Amino acid sequence: MMISPICFFIFSLVLSSSYAAVQDFCVADYTALQGPAGYSCKDPAKVTVDDFVYSGLRVPGNTSNIHKFGFVPAVVAQFPGLNGLGVSVARTDLGVGGVIPFHTHRGATEVLIVAEGSSVLAGFIDSNNKVYLKTLNKGDSMIFPRGLFHFAVNQGDTPVLMYASLSSENPGLDVLETSLFKNDLSTDLISKTTLLDKSQIRKLKRLLGGTN
Amino acid sequence: MMISPICFFIFSLVLSSSYAAVQDFCVADYTALQGPAGYSCKDPAKVTVDDFVYSGLRVPGNTSNIHKFGFVPAVVAQFPGLNGLGVSVARTDLGVGGVIPFHTHRGATEVLIVAEGSSVLAGFIDSNNKVYLKTLNKGDSMIFPRGLFHFAVNQGDTPVLMYASLSSENPGLDVLETSLFKNDLSTDLISKTTLLDKSQIRKLKRLLGGTN
Amino acid sequence: MMISPICFFIFSLVLSSSYAAVQDFCVADYTALQGPAGYSCKDPAKVTVDDFVYSGLRVPGNTSNIHKFGFVPAVVAQFPGLNGLGVSVARTDLGVGGVIPFHTHRGATEVLIVAEGSSVLAGFIDSNNKVYLKTLNKGDSMIFPRGLFHFAVNQGDTPVLMYASLSSENPGLDVLETSLFKNDLSTDLISKTTLLDKSQIRKLKRLLGGTN
Amino acid sequence: MMISPICFFIFSLVLSSSYAAVQDFCVADYTALQGPAGYSCKDPAKVTVDDFVYSGLRVPGNTSNIHKFGFVPAVVAQFPGLNGLGVSVARTDLGVGGVIPFHTHRGATEVLIVAEGSSVLAGFIDSNNKVYLKTLNKGDSMIFPRGLFHFAVNQGDTPVLMYASLSSENPGLDVLETSLFKNDLSTDLISKTTLLDKSQIRKLKRLLGGTN
Amino acid sequence: MMISPICFFIFSLVLSSSYAAVQDFCVADYTALQGPAGYSCKDPAKVTVDDFVYSGLRVPGNTSNIHKFGFVPAVVAQFPGLNGLGVSVARTDLGVGGVIPFHTHRGATEVLIVAEGSSVLAGFIDSNNKVYLKTLNKGDSMIFPRGLFHFAVNQGDTPVLMYASLSSENPGLDVLETSLFKNDLSTDLISKTTLLDKSQIRKLKRLLGGTN
Amino acid sequence: MMISPICFFIFSLVLSSSYAAVQDFCVADYTALQGPAGYSCKDPAKVTVDDFVYSGLRVPGNTSNIHKFGFVPAVVAQFPGLNGLGVSVARTDLGVGGVIPFHTHRGATEVLIVAEGSSVLAGFIDSNNKVYLKTLNKGDSMIFPRGLFHFAVNQGDTPVLMYASLSSENPGLDVLETSLFKNDLSTDLISKTTLLDKSQIRKLKRLLGGTN
């Protein structure tokens, strides 16, 4: 009988690892199984330098949105060489008046560097509800400790380009407004668990595409 | 000359560790330095079983508040034997209609067990804004994966007692409403970074004691 | 040709991960490969809230045994949502006079909470052979630091229900009596390595089903 | 006024770290505080190569005991350079007929290498009570996975020298017989939690110096 | 008697931690003890946003050296808020023809982003001696997996500015040429262990200030 | 239709894990996928004690080479039971005058024990270019902290046998001379990034088989 294409594909995956005795890295194979530690490893014989190089940060993120906020991640989902290495990067663009909305990164720490622009008001909030706020200028860097809410606003008169370094290859991005208002979480439940008024909730669900 | 009391105190700390060659644990010494991994270790010669036993969960948390939500943590800050061990517990009480407000735990995972009561509607939200919602009854347990927003509501007609297990001895508790409205983060900045209306923000700042 | 069912099954696994760019969790797929970090991840498109909810702890463990000891684990083997998250829970029931036998958890730490009952004498032993012993009552919690031998006895006049929190999703349970006497480890070897008398060993092998 | 000697001592500790901006290692300072991650770091200005060299394994362990078992650890308690590095070693000597008693290492993995001698029967027991048993000869190595019970017997006609590698700088050594019989754990409690006969327990308490 | 100043200083450190029950972070106190996990924590009552902000990357590194290589680290030694958080950043400047010399980071992974300039030839070498080489342009990023030798050369006709993200707050920088030639390692020993000619070694020792 | 052999093979892998509910270890299956945490787990039903025993260290490494250096690793690539356990071992043989060349282990720490021979001059270099050098004799052990360059020379008049313990099951071995001279890294690029003379580089490329 013929071997079905998919079987052959699996076959190549299976064989590959027998050539992988010594591995310095585990480049993500997006077509194979994932585990708690990340993606399966690409056949080392097929790994090239291009698995470790990413050009996606050349282009500004699209800032044509309500926040004038562009975000281009270079995390393991786009950048296979990061698999299992515990670090990732991203590019953030803010138009004049642009905003990085209130968010967290599931336990990852972020270090933000202002590469272009000025007067970026950035902040985070600790578990005692204390606010840490600073205006950053070109060349400044700021830490957002693991798991804490943070945000930024471009108060300058030029666009801002920032690079983020994250302490995980898969840091996630949990934005408050979309977590609350861009899904089917009921208005009643949101109101009870956040103290927000139902009218406010309905207004933002309409804006962001939430239901219920 | 006499040795000043504080010097003597330091002296005892310093000596203590020389008796600590083999350590199975590092009981928190709340009076000494802390590091990234936790508190300094109490002199092993002074460690007793009571460092590993906590009775604070005997008593229900105070539910006389807007959420009818009582919370009694048994984390390293109260329970010195947990220092460095990567796990902690807590007791949660909900009056009839009580609510665990929308919150995260800085990267820790929580497993909640319903010990008493029924009809607890619990949920979390993932990084794709998908909602995971379930009604829990006595004996049910639910996972809130690390760093994700979660909450619960007692929809039953009796008080609820739940025990939480957390994957960190110092998980933190970042409640959305207090992070936003119980500090001096400006109404303007909150509005820009969350899309909430200023009137809503001012109303909740008044309720929760926020300024600006 | 037709694709064989198993190939199709693999095919679905393989495809699935390509939709899994951002993962907050890795729900265990019990039918796929395991690695050192745990089970492979279930296709995120097939994950539901039920992967994060477990009802197995509703029912008491069976205490009709020599120790009047019932144990119901909610670890990754039963509770797929725990995969990779570093925490698990369990329910322990003790009849009047019931006993949790002498055991360890392969390096995991346990925190035990007495939910029902009283007068539970619990203890652990450190590497210096020092005994830590305490009588626990309803609401008390006790820590058994990672890898140390521990045990408990219900000395009260009512059944006991306890919840355990463990610092691993796969903590294991190494009970001394079954490790020694419920296998084919030879009586001679047990005697040499434990100093126990051969008559004692044979007696317990008969009781527990060991051979040799 | 004069500074008291101890203050001066603290002073030197405090100053030292200001010279420690870049640290590749953290040599244990046995006279200062410990934390969950290990000992405080010795002043880098005082670190020498001798903090990384240990001669204690030159000499065989004393085998004049009931097991003809000599053990010489080179863990962080003796070998300060290991502090925080996650590995340690030890030397084990067994006379003819010598025995490494049944024990665990609190979650650490051990790899044992037979450097001299032959016919070493070594084994471990997994959480399913399965026994893994092998006779080792000169040059053989065997893994005892983290936290599992293990043991060895010299069945050869010459003394045995073995080197152990452990996956922790502070692995601990929990020997069953001394954990049970070399302390004040009551005969009644041991009997209930291990199913051993009280006569057996009393006999071994007498042998090993236990009370109660 | 008066308390000596240093004692008073220690006193404040000791007291401080009693206010530190809930800690989201552990800002480095450069004047106190260090441990394997990093610096002791600054008194939380004294932590300000400035502990999380660093302006040192505003200024280019000094490129007036043999490699036209400027390096400005923002690691825990300069940036106290990074303590224990597992990530750091740095700024690298290369003049026209400038070179980042052959080096490693003690097990840390680096992600390099080209912020300004073009035609940067960057590479690393794996444990199988395979070379991974790529010419990077503005906006490109490249991964240097943990512990591997890497380097870069500015082959463009303008200066280059790059930002590095590292998977450790204290990554270290082990440059081959200074490790070999800027110390008292004997010419004979270098020659034996690297196969380099003694004349070559002596020449580079003269250049870099080595002895022996 | 028939199931193709490879499908059947996958099938058996897939089924196997359903029997693996409680796993104390994850023995490497060299024929299946790898992930960042290591190899996939062998079917527990097929695991035997031989997966945990290795005899490869019985035989000296081949010292018929320029360094009179024999190296026999017992890492996860040869020793499947080590998968995921964070430790490995190796045997090193040095002829009279033999040399362990200048190398690192990608972030792993090594502890070296001299089992046979004497007068082994061993050393490492820290990130401040400081040299740590010691002559080791039989029974001595020395630490090479994670990621630092190290080396050794047998200055005695007998062959040397040493055992290495490493803090990773897959430590890697990055030898300076082969990293630089046993590949196609161009002479020009090596010269620029190491300051070595091109004549020296070409000489060693010829010796070691490098090109360009």
Side-chain angles (χ1 to χ4, degrees):
Chain A
M1 62 168 280
M2 280 174 51
I3 292 181
S4 68
I6 178 59
C7 287
F8 188 79
F9 170 57
I10 297 300
F11 188 66
S12 63
L13 285 179
V14 170
L15 274 207
S16 70
S17 55
S18 60
Y19 302 123
V22 175
Q23 279 213 38
D24 297 304
F25 36 70
C26 172
V27 173
D29 178 344
Y30 298 125
T31 66
L33 293 167
Q34 286 181 275
Y39 293 92
S40 292
C41 309
K42 183 176 178 178
D43 176 355
K46 296 191 179 128
V47 170
T48 72
V49 69
D50 293 327
D51 293 308
F52 299 98
V53 176
Y54 188 65
S55 297
L57 304 190
R58 287 183 181 182
V59 185
N62 176 8
T63 57
S64 304
N65 52 54
I66 189 170
H67 287 303
K68 300 178 184 168
F69 167 52
F71 181 69
V72 185
V75 301
V76 68
Q78 301 83 34
F79 203 171
L82 289 175
N83 196 34
L85 294 181
V87 65
S88 60
V89 296
R91 169 187 184 138
T92 297
D93 294 273
L94 292 177
V96 174
V99 169
I100 302 177
F102 203 84
H103 69 285
T104 74
H105 298 287
R106 271 188 293 119
T109 291
E110 175 177 347
V111 182
L112 195 63
I113 301 175
V114 179
E116 292 171 22
S118 64
S119 297
V120 178
L121 181 61
F124 66 87
I125 295 164
D126 75 15
S127 296
N128 305 312
N129 304 317
K130 181 178 171 185
V131 181
Y132 298 76
L133 212 54
K134 190 78 175 181
T135 298
L136 307 176
N137 290 300
K138 184 171 181 172
D140 291 343
S141 48
M142 183 166 178
I143 303 163
F144 303 116
R146 54 179 161 231
L148 298 185
F149 294 115
H150 57 283
F151 54 84
V153 179
N154 177 8
Q155 297 186 327
D157 49 18
T158 59
V160 162
L161 164 60
M162 299 187 283
Y163 294 110
S165 305
L166 295 136
S167 65
S168 164
E169 70 267 29
N170 179 22
L173 175 63
D174 298 297
V175 177
L176 176 58
E177 68 200 35
T178 53
S179 297
L180 283 176
F181 306 122
K182 198 177 179 179
N183 52 41
D184 60 357
L185 189 59
S186 79
T187 297
D188 180 62
L189 205 46
I190 297 173
S191 182
K192 278 186 176 142
T193 60
T194 64
L195 302 180
L196 294 171
D197 293 339
K198 294 185 177 181
S199 56
Q200 172 75 91
I201 296 165
R202 291 197 192 91
K203 180 178 176 183
L204 290 171
K205 277 181 170 285
R206 279 194 300 275
L207 178 68
L208 295 167
T211 57
N212 288 2
Chain B
M1 63 170 276
M2 280 174 54
I3 292 179
S4 68
I6 177 58
C7 287
F8 187 79
F9 171 58
I10 297 301
F11 187 66
S12 64
L13 286 180
V14 171
L15 274 207
S16 70
S17 54
S18 59
Y19 303 123
V22 174
Q23 278 213 38
D24 298 305
F25 37 70
C26 173
V27 172
D29 178 345
Y30 298 124
T31 66
L33 293 167
Q34 288 181 275
Y39 294 91
S40 293
C41 308
K42 183 177 178 178
D43 176 355
K46 299 194 178 120
V47 169
T48 72
V49 68
D50 293 326
D51 294 308
F52 299 98
V53 176
Y54 188 65
S55 295
L57 303 189
R58 288 182 179 183
V59 184
N62 176 8
T63 57
S64 304
N65 52 54
I66 190 170
H67 288 303
K68 299 179 186 168
F69 166 52
F71 181 68
V72 185
V75 301
V76 69
Q78 301 84 34
F79 203 172
L82 289 175
N83 195 36
L85 294 180
V87 65
S88 60
V89 296
R91 168 185 184 139
T92 298
D93 293 273
L94 292 177
V96 174
V99 169
I100 302 177
F102 203 84
H103 69 285
T104 74
H105 297 289
R106 271 189 293 122
T109 291
E110 175 177 347
V111 182
L112 195 63
I113 300 174
V114 179
E116 291 171 23
S118 64
S119 297
V120 178
L121 180 61
F124 67 87
I125 296 164
D126 75 13
S127 296
N128 304 312
N129 305 316
K130 180 176 171 185
V131 181
Y132 299 77
L133 213 54
K134 190 77 174 182
T135 300
L136 307 176
N137 290 301
K138 184 171 183 173
D140 290 343
S141 48
M142 183 166 181
I143 303 163
F144 304 116
R146 53 177 161 234
L148 298 183
F149 294 115
H150 55 284
F151 53 86
V153 178
N154 176 10
Q155 299 185 328
D157 49 17
T158 59
V160 162
L161 165 60
M162 300 188 283
Y163 294 110
S165 304
L166 295 136
S167 66
S168 164
E169 70 266 31
N170 179 21
L173 175 62
D174 298 298
V175 176
L176 175 59
E177 69 200 34
T178 53
S179 297
L180 283 175
F181 307 122
K182 198 177 179 178
N183 51 41
D184 59 358
L185 189 58
S186 79
T187 297
D188 180 62
L189 205 46
I190 298 172
S191 184
K192 279 184 175 146
T193 60
T194 64
L195 301 179
L196 294 172
D197 294 338
K198 293 184 179 181
S199 57
Q200 172 73 93
I201 295 165
R202 290 197 195 91
K203 179 178 177 183
L204 289 172
K205 277 181 171 285
R206 279 192 301 275
L207 178 67
L208 296 167
T211 57
N212 287 4
Chain C
M1 60 167 282
M2 281 174 52
I3 292 181
S4 69
I6 177 57
C7 287
F8 189 79
F9 170 58
I10 298 299
F11 187 66
S12 62
L13 285 179
V14 170
L15 275 209
S16 69
S17 54
S18 60
Y19 301 125
V22 174
Q23 278 213 38
D24 297 305
F25 36 70
C26 172
V27 172
D29 178 345
Y30 298 123
T31 67
L33 293 167
Q34 287 181 274
Y39 294 91
S40 293
C41 308
K42 183 176 178 180
D43 176 355
K46 297 190 178 126
V47 169
T48 72
V49 68
D50 294 326
D51 293 309
F52 299 98
V53 176
Y54 188 65
S55 296
L57 304 189
R58 287 183 181 182
V59 184
N62 175 9
T63 57
S64 304
N65 53 53
I66 189 169
H67 287 304
K68 301 179 184 166
F69 167 52
F71 182 68
V72 185
V75 301
V76 68
Q78 302 84 33
F79 203 171
L82 290 175
N83 195 36
L85 294 180
V87 65
S88 60
V89 296
R91 169 187 183 136
T92 297
D93 293 274
L94 293 177
V96 174
V99 170
I100 301 178
F102 203 84
H103 70 284
T104 74
H105 297 288
R106 271 187 294 119
T109 291
E110 175 177 348
V111 182
L112 195 63
I113 300 175
V114 179
E116 291 171 23
S118 63
S119 297
V120 178
L121 181 61
F124 67 86
I125 296 164
D126 75 14
S127 296
N128 304 311
N129 304 316
K130 181 178 170 186
V131 181
Y132 298 76
L133 212 55
K134 190 77 175 183
T135 299
L136 307 176
N137 289 301
K138 183 169 182 173
D140 291 343
S141 48
M142 183 167 179
I143 302 164
F144 304 116
R146 56 178 158 231
L148 299 185
F149 295 114
H150 56 283
F151 54 85
V153 179
N154 177 10
Q155 298 185 326
D157 50 16
T158 58
V160 161
L161 164 59
M162 300 187 284
Y163 293 111
S165 305
L166 294 135
S167 65
S168 164
E169 69 266 30
N170 180 21
L173 175 63
D174 299 297
V175 177
L176 175 58
E177 68 200 35
T178 53
S179 297
L180 284 175
F181 306 121
K182 198 177 179 178
N183 52 42
D184 59 358
L185 189 58
S186 79
T187 298
D188 180 60
L189 205 45
I190 298 172
S191 183
K192 278 186 176 139
T193 60
T194 65
L195 302 180
L196 294 172
D197 294 337
K198 294 185 177 181
S199 56
Q200 172 73 95
I201 295 165
R202 291 197 193 91
K203 180 178 175 184
L204 290 172
K205 277 180 169 285
R206 279 193 299 274
L207 178 67
L208 295 167
T211 56
N212 288 5
Chain D
M1 62 166 280
M2 281 172 55
I3 292 179
S4 69
I6 177 58
C7 287
F8 188 80
F9 170 58
I10 298 300
F11 187 67
S12 63
L13 286 180
V14 169
L15 274 207
S16 70
S17 55
S18 60
Y19 302 123
V22 174
Q23 277 212 41
D24 298 304
F25 37 71
C26 173
V27 172
D29 177 345
Y30 298 124
T31 66
L33 293 167
Q34 287 181 277
Y39 294 91
S40 292
C41 307
K42 183 176 178 178
D43 176 355
K46 297 191 179 121
V47 170
T48 72
V49 68
D50 293 326
D51 293 308
F52 299 98
V53 175
Y54 188 65
S55 296
L57 303 189
R58 288 182 179 183
V59 184
N62 175 10
T63 58
S64 304
N65 53 53
I66 190 169
H67 286 306
K68 300 178 185 169
F69 167 50
F71 181 68
V72 186
V75 302
V76 69
Q78 300 83 36
F79 204 171
L82 289 176
N83 195 36
L85 294 180
V87 65
S88 60
V89 296
R91 167 186 185 139
T92 297
D93 294 275
L94 292 177
V96 175
V99 169
I100 300 177
F102 204 84
H103 69 286
T104 74
H105 297 288
R106 271 188 293 120
T109 291
E110 176 178 347
V111 183
L112 195 64
I113 301 175
V114 179
E116 292 170 22
S118 64
S119 296
V120 178
L121 180 62
F124 67 86
I125 296 164
D126 74 13
S127 296
N128 304 312
N129 305 315
K130 181 178 171 184
V131 181
Y132 297 77
L133 212 55
K134 191 75 176 184
T135 299
L136 308 176
N137 289 301
K138 184 171 182 173
D140 290 344
S141 48
M142 183 167 179
I143 302 164
F144 304 116
R146 55 177 159 234
L148 298 183
F149 294 115
H150 56 284
F151 54 84
V153 178
N154 177 10
Q155 298 185 328
D157 49 17
T158 58
V160 161
L161 164 60
M162 300 188 283
Y163 293 112
S165 305
L166 294 136
S167 66
S168 164
E169 70 266 29
N170 179 21
L173 174 64
D174 298 297
V175 177
L176 176 59
E177 68 200 37
T178 52
S179 297
L180 283 175
F181 306 121
K182 198 176 178 178
N183 52 40
D184 60 357
L185 191 58
S186 79
T187 298
D188 180 63
L189 206 45
I190 298 172
S191 183
K192 277 185 175 145
T193 59
T194 64
L195 301 180
L196 295 172
D197 294 338
K198 293 185 178 181
S199 56
Q200 172 74 92
I201 295 164
R202 290 196 196 92
K203 180 179 174 182
L204 289 173
K205 276 180 171 285
R206 279 192 300 274
L207 179 68
L208 296 167
T211 56
N212 287 7
Chain E
M1 62 168 276
M2 280 174 53
I3 291 179
S4 68
I6 178 57
C7 288
F8 187 79
F9 170 57
I10 297 299
F11 187 66
S12 63
L13 284 180
V14 170
L15 275 207
S16 68
S17 54
S18 59
Y19 302 124
V22 174
Q23 278 212 39
D24 297 305
F25 37 71
C26 172
V27 172
D29 178 345
Y30 298 124
T31 67
L33 293 167
Q34 287 181 275
Y39 294 91
S40 292
C41 308
K42 182 177 179 178
D43 175 356
K46 298 192 178 120
V47 169
T48 72
V49 68
D50 293 326
D51 293 308
F52 299 98
V53 176
Y54 188 65
S55 296
L57 304 189
R58 288 183 180 183
V59 184
N62 176 9
T63 58
S64 304
N65 52 53
I66 191 170
H67 288 303
K68 299 179 185 167
F69 167 51
F71 181 68
V72 186
V75 302
V76 68
Q78 302 83 35
F79 203 170
L82 289 175
N83 196 35
L85 294 180
V87 65
S88 59
V89 295
R91 167 185 185 138
T92 298
D93 294 274
L94 293 177
V96 174
V99 169
I100 301 178
F102 203 84
H103 69 285
T104 74
H105 297 288
R106 271 187 295 120
T109 292
E110 175 177 346
V111 182
L112 196 64
I113 301 175
V114 179
E116 292 171 20
S118 64
S119 297
V120 178
L121 180 62
F124 66 86
I125 296 164
D126 74 14
S127 296
N128 305 312
N129 304 316
K130 181 178 171 186
V131 181
Y132 298 76
L133 213 55
K134 190 77 174 184
T135 300
L136 307 176
N137 290 300
K138 184 171 181 173
D140 290 343
S141 48
M142 184 166 179
I143 302 163
F144 304 116
R146 56 179 158 229
L148 298 184
F149 294 116
H150 56 284
F151 53 86
V153 178
N154 176 9
Q155 298 186 327
D157 50 16
T158 58
V160 161
L161 164 60
M162 299 188 283
Y163 293 111
S165 304
L166 295 137
S167 65
S168 165
E169 71 266 30
N170 179 22
L173 175 63
D174 298 297
V175 176
L176 176 59
E177 68 201 34
T178 53
S179 297
L180 283 176
F181 306 120
K182 198 178 179 177
N183 51 41
D184 60 357
L185 190 58
S186 78
T187 297
D188 180 63
L189 205 44
I190 297 172
S191 184
K192 279 185 175 144
T193 60
T194 64
L195 302 180
L196 294 171
D197 293 337
K198 294 185 177 181
S199 55
Q200 172 73 95
I201 295 164
R202 290 196 194 91
K203 179 179 176 183
L204 290 172
K205 276 181 171 284
R206 279 193 300 275
L207 179 68
L208 296 167
T211 57
N212 287 6
Chain F
M1 60 167 282
M2 281 175 50
I3 292 181
S4 70
I6 177 56
C7 288
F8 189 80
F9 171 57
I10 298 301
F11 188 66
S12 64
L13 284 181
V14 170
L15 274 207
S16 70
S17 54
S18 61
Y19 301 124
V22 174
Q23 277 213 42
D24 298 304
F25 37 69
C26 172
V27 173
D29 178 344
Y30 298 124
T31 66
L33 293 167
Q34 287 181 275
Y39 294 91
S40 292
C41 309
K42 183 176 178 179
D43 176 355
K46 296 189 179 127
V47 169
T48 72
V49 68
D50 293 327
D51 293 308
F52 299 98
V53 176
Y54 188 64
S55 295
L57 304 189
R58 287 182 181 182
V59 184
N62 176 10
T63 58
S64 305
N65 53 54
I66 189 170
H67 288 303
K68 301 179 186 167
F69 167 52
F71 182 68
V72 185
V75 302
V76 68
Q78 302 84 35
F79 204 171
L82 290 175
N83 196 36
L85 294 181
V87 64
S88 60
V89 295
R91 167 186 184 138
T92 297
D93 293 275
L94 292 177
V96 174
V99 169
I100 301 177
F102 203 84
H103 68 286
T104 75
H105 297 288
R106 271 188 292 121
T109 291
E110 175 177 347
V111 182
L112 194 64
I113 301 174
V114 179
E116 292 171 21
S118 63
S119 296
V120 178
L121 180 61
F124 66 86
I125 296 164
D126 75 14
S127 296
N128 304 312
N129 305 316
K130 181 178 171 186
V131 181
Y132 297 77
L133 211 56
K134 191 77 174 182
T135 299
L136 308 176
N137 291 300
K138 184 170 181 172
D140 290 343
S141 47
M142 184 167 178
I143 303 163
F144 304 116
R146 55 178 161 233
L148 299 184
F149 294 115
H150 56 284
F151 54 85
V153 178
N154 177 9
Q155 298 185 326
D157 50 17
T158 59
V160 161
L161 164 60
M162 300 186 283
Y163 293 111
S165 304
L166 295 136
S167 65
S168 164
E169 70 266 29
N170 179 22
L173 175 63
D174 299 296
V175 177
L176 175 58
E177 69 201 33
T178 52
S179 297
L180 283 174
F181 307 121
K182 198 178 179 179
N183 52 41
D184 60 358
L185 189 58
S186 79
T187 298
D188 181 62
L189 206 45
I190 298 172
S191 182
K192 278 186 175 143
T193 59
T194 64
L195 302 179
L196 294 172
D197 293 338
K198 293 185 178 182
S199 56
Q200 171 75 91
I201 296 165
R202 291 197 193 90
K203 180 179 176 183
L204 289 172
K205 276 181 170 285
R206 280 193 299 275
L207 179 69
L208 295 167
T211 58
N212 287 4

